[in-house]
Amino acid sequence: MAMNNILFEIQNEIARAEIKHPVWPTCNLKRAAFVSGEAGEALKEAIKLYEGKGDLENLRTELIQAAGTCIRMIKEMDKDLTKNTINKN
């Protein structure tokens, strides 16, 4: 699949997540925990696949969600930089 298509899927995932979960933590530790959680879901699916129980499409879906969460965190951090704030809570 072309990179543009993958990026389009990630953008759609971000939009979906922002509608489903409009409130996003202001604390970078909590934001990073969300990123870690999504990466953990991808890891779980990769383990299932390794064990012969998983599905490549499910792994791909989890990776798109993890990428979207990473980008969402970066977007929020960029807003913090614009406001010149450091969010600790």
Side-chain angles (χ1 to χ4, degrees):
M1 180 172 283
M3 179 65 75
N4 287 342
N5 294 341
I6 295 167
L7 294 174
F8 180 74
E9 287 183 68
I10 294 169
Q11 286 176 318
N12 285 339
E13 172 58 28
I14 294 166
R16 184 199 66 76
E18 288 176 338
I19 290 168
K20 186 174 180 181
H21 306 287
V23 178
W24 188 249
T26 57
C27 170
N28 287 314
L29 179 60
K30 292 175 184 174
R31 292 170 180 168
F34 279 110
V35 170
S36 179
E38 290 300 331
E41 293 294 323
L43 178 58
K44 281 194 237 179
E45 195 57 42
I47 291 169
K48 285 183 188 176
L49 194 60
Y50 178 79
E51 294 172 340
K53 304 173 196 171
D55 179 285
L56 261 182
E57 191 58 37
N58 289 344
L59 176 57
R60 188 178 187 287
T61 297
E62 294 297 342
L63 290 169
I64 294 291
Q65 291 173 355
T69 305
C70 287
I71 292 170
R72 190 171 182 189
M73 180 172 178
I74 293 166
K75 284 175 52 178
E76 294 301 320
M77 289 174 55
D78 286 350
K79 289 178 191 175
D80 296 342
L81 290 170
T82 301
K83 294 183 230 170
N84 198 25
T85 61
I86 298 173
N87 292 310
K88 294 183 181 177
N89 49 10

